[in-house]
Amino acid sequence: MNVAALLLLGLGLLEAEGRCFFNRTQEHCVCYNLSQESVSSIIQCLPASVVEFLGGELERYIAFPVSNLDPSAIEMLGSLVIRKIIFGDLLVPEILLARVLRLFSYTQVQELVFERCIFKGRGDWDEMARQDLPILSLHFHNVTSAPLTGREQDFSSLSSWLETLQELAVTGSHVTNLPCGIGRVFRALRSLDMAQNSVGDESLMLAFCKGAFPQLQVLSLRRNNLTSYHSVCESVQLLRELQHLDLSQNKLMADLSSSCQWPASLRIFNLSDTGLDKVLTPLPPSLEVLDMGCNHLHTVDISLSSLKKLFLSQNMLQASPSIRNCPMLETLHLDNNLITELPWDEVKLLGRLWDVAAAGNPYNCSCSGAGGLQALAGMGHLAQGWPQDYTCHSPPQYQGRLVRDVPVSVLQCNSAAVIAPVCVALALLGVAGAICLVRSRPGLTRPCRRV
């Protein structure tokens, strides 16, 4: 058996009979329930860029020998084109993982994923001290392991590698805290995804202590146990490079007063589905994208000079929010609210946006409910859902009808647009008539031309 197959087998051996399947078009190889009898099928995975192992437990291979490799074996591992390895539905003894992980230093694998795995016991990570790995992205989803508290020494042994890691995701794994000392190891981390865990306000404050995650730009805390807007703000204040923060699907409550200042670098803020009935303050001052969809907002009045995209779908808005204080706004989504019409003065402002979405609202099509939307569609700003998702709710004669098909009277819906030109025309006729009377007096030889 060659060394490349041995590496794959080391984390893919399973008791049940199985085999590997290689999709040459996608360069993706999947191995199910490998055994010693079917291990030969792993050879076909060698040309793959993505290899996936699914099913089984590895306890019987705890004594798997990993010794220093000879130059030919190292050359063989370096020649593999595998960039991503996925392990799913496995019982993984941590002591075995600690041994085998060293072999990845000879490969070009950049992404490692564990899904629905159980990590058992504790490994001896001292062997990984000062060991560099090419892996830049590490993902754990729905995994079970020993608590992170008290494991700072293990992470310290992995520091040579973890200091270069750029992307880390630990999702759906019942994590309650992230010790400060662990965060200080990840000095180059750009993205941290902690979605679908059990992190609370107090534990979050401890996680982002001074010196932790100094280069972090993207942070997802979606669907945790966060409740205090003010506490979250205070927790991330030290993340000076933070640009994207996702707090969606937490149940946030407004604090009585908050003077906390969000990192000035923050550009994208997701507060969707957080139970809000009013806009929380303060908002990060330099935001470019703000998502407050799927809440209970009745009114929105914000002033953000840099804001480019505002998402307010699935709220309880009865009118389009004023955008006069958001001069850079390009995108506004208002789908599935309680908006009945768009007044003409708002239509003029919305007309300067590139992307407006307002489908699924109970429009009153007797006047500007139809006219305003037709005007926006005519300017090419209602591409999403128009016309099929824009229907009339009232008056009765138009109920259920597409807004696009409603005849709109300009005199009824924008009388000023008709009355003003008529008044100007009458004034001009009056002036012309007066001139004619003057010129028709005796002594004036030039006849008056009819206007």
Side-chain angles (χ1 to χ4, degrees):
M1 184 188 304
N2 64 39
V3 175
L6 189 63
L7 167 64
L8 297 177
L9 184 60
L11 287 174
L13 276 174
L14 309 169
E15 291 189 12
E17 184 72 19
R19 58 170 301 181
C20 299
F21 301 89
F22 178 48
N23 185 319
R24 188 171 299 276
T25 303
Q26 298 180 359
E27 298 182 342
H28 189 153
C29 192
V30 183
C31 298
Y32 300 93
N33 300 327
L34 287 181
S35 67
Q36 290 178 326
E37 290 75 19
S38 60
V39 69
S40 59
S41 68
I42 210 171
I43 302 300
Q44 64 182 307
C45 292
L46 301 185
S49 60
V50 179
V51 178
E52 192 167 355
F53 295 100
L54 299 176
E57 62 180 68
L58 304 175
E59 281 190 291
R60 61 182 292 184
Y61 304 105
I62 287 180
F64 179 75
V66 178
S67 57
N68 294 329
L69 303 180
D70 57 53
S72 62
I74 294 175
E75 183 180 359
M76 171 68 73
L77 290 176
S79 67
L80 296 176
V81 297
I82 299 173
R83 296 293 185 272
K84 179 178 180 179
I85 297 182
I86 304 170
F87 302 100
D89 304 304
L90 283 167
L91 177 62
V92 182
E94 197 173 296
I95 191 170
L96 175 61
L97 179 63
R99 290 200 198 104
V100 174
L101 199 58
R102 286 199 311 119
L103 295 179
F104 284 97
S105 63
Y106 306 112
T107 72
Q108 301 180 59
V109 175
Q110 296 182 340
E111 185 173 357
L112 201 56
V113 180
F114 294 89
E115 298 178 342
R116 304 173 304 279
C117 291
I118 298 175
F119 294 92
K120 189 173 181 180
R122 292 188 63 165
D124 182 6
W125 295 103
D126 290 340
E127 296 182 15
M128 286 293 296
R130 296 178 296 281
Q131 183 74 59
D132 296 325
L133 296 179
I135 299 169
L136 300 176
S137 180
L138 184 59
H139 292 246
F140 300 91
H141 177 67
N142 193 16
V143 301
T144 302
S145 68
L148 296 176
T149 303
R151 306 203 64 178
E152 287 82 355
Q153 183 56 47
D154 293 340
F155 281 83
S156 178
S157 299
L158 292 165
S159 60
S160 292
W161 163 41
L162 296 181
E163 284 179 353
T164 64
L165 197 69
Q166 295 184 6
E167 182 177 334
L168 174 63
V170 185
T171 59
S173 300
H174 308 288
V175 176
T176 58
N177 62 75
L178 191 61
C180 169
I182 292 178
R184 289 172 173 160
V185 175
F186 295 94
R187 304 202 58 77
L189 200 70
R190 300 291 191 272
S191 175
L192 175 61
D193 187 353
M194 296 288 292
Q196 302 179 55
N197 283 294
S198 302
V199 178
D201 297 327
E202 293 184 6
S203 57
L204 186 67
M205 185 76 72
L206 298 175
F208 298 107
C209 60
K210 186 176 181 179
F213 307 104
Q215 299 298 319
L216 195 63
Q217 298 177 5
V218 179
L219 173 60
S220 175
L221 296 168
R222 177 176 59 87
R223 198 175 175 182
N224 273 273
N225 292 337
L226 303 174
T227 60
S228 172
Y229 185 75
H230 176 75
S231 292
V232 175
C233 177
E234 288 193 328
S235 297
V236 301
Q237 273 187 318
L238 297 178
L239 300 178
R240 301 303 184 188
E241 303 297 322
L242 188 63
Q243 298 180 18
H244 184 167
L245 177 59
D246 185 352
L247 299 179
S248 62
Q249 298 184 43
N250 288 281
K251 297 306 175 185
L252 297 177
M253 295 182 294
D255 299 280
L256 294 177
S257 63
S258 175
S259 59
C260 177
Q261 296 299 314
W262 295 91
S265 57
L266 196 55
R267 297 292 184 269
I268 303 174
F269 200 15
N270 191 342
L271 290 170
S272 64
D273 196 13
T274 50
L276 302 181
D277 57 11
K278 63 180 181 180
V279 179
L280 299 179
T281 56
L283 288 171
S286 301
L287 281 184
E288 296 181 3
V289 180
L290 175 59
D291 189 347
M292 293 191 293
C294 302
N295 281 298
H296 308 293
L297 300 174
H298 291 81
T299 60
V300 172
D301 184 12
I302 58 176
S303 178
L304 292 168
S305 59
S306 301
L307 193 65
K308 296 180 180 180
K309 297 182 179 182
L310 178 59
F311 300 99
L312 296 170
S313 298
Q314 299 186 53
N315 275 284
M316 303 180 71
L317 300 176
Q318 297 184 4
S320 172
S322 174
I323 60 173
R324 298 178 188 275
N325 295 324
C326 300
M328 302 297 291
L329 197 66
E330 300 173 350
T331 297
L332 176 63
H333 285 195
L334 301 168
D335 303 285
N336 300 304
N337 276 278
L338 301 176
I339 299 171
T340 57
E341 65 176 38
L342 295 177
W344 282 99
D345 57 344
E346 289 296 330
V347 169
K348 294 175 184 177
L349 290 173
L350 294 174
R352 64 177 171 80
L353 306 185
W354 288 103
D355 176 20
V356 179
N361 284 288
Y363 289 112
N364 181 342
C365 293
S366 60
C367 194
S368 59
L373 289 168
Q374 290 178 8
L376 282 174
M379 291 184 281
H381 299 313
L382 285 182
Q384 181 174 318
W386 177 267
Q388 68 275 9
D389 296 330
Y390 290 77
T391 58
C392 300
H393 188 265
S394 62
Q397 63 267 31
Y398 294 137
Q399 191 170 11
R401 191 169 179 177
L402 291 181
V403 174
R404 179 196 60 182
D405 300 334
V406 174
V408 176
S409 167
V410 176
L411 181 59
Q412 177 187 7
C413 294
N414 196 6
S415 56
V418 175
I419 294 174
V422 170
C423 291
V424 172
L426 291 174
L428 290 174
L429 287 172
V431 172
I435 294 173
C436 287
L437 287 174
V438 171
R439 290 183 176 181
S440 65
R441 292 178 180 177
L444 293 176
T445 59
R446 189 177 300 172
C448 178
R449 187 176 302 170
R450 188 182 298 274
V451 178

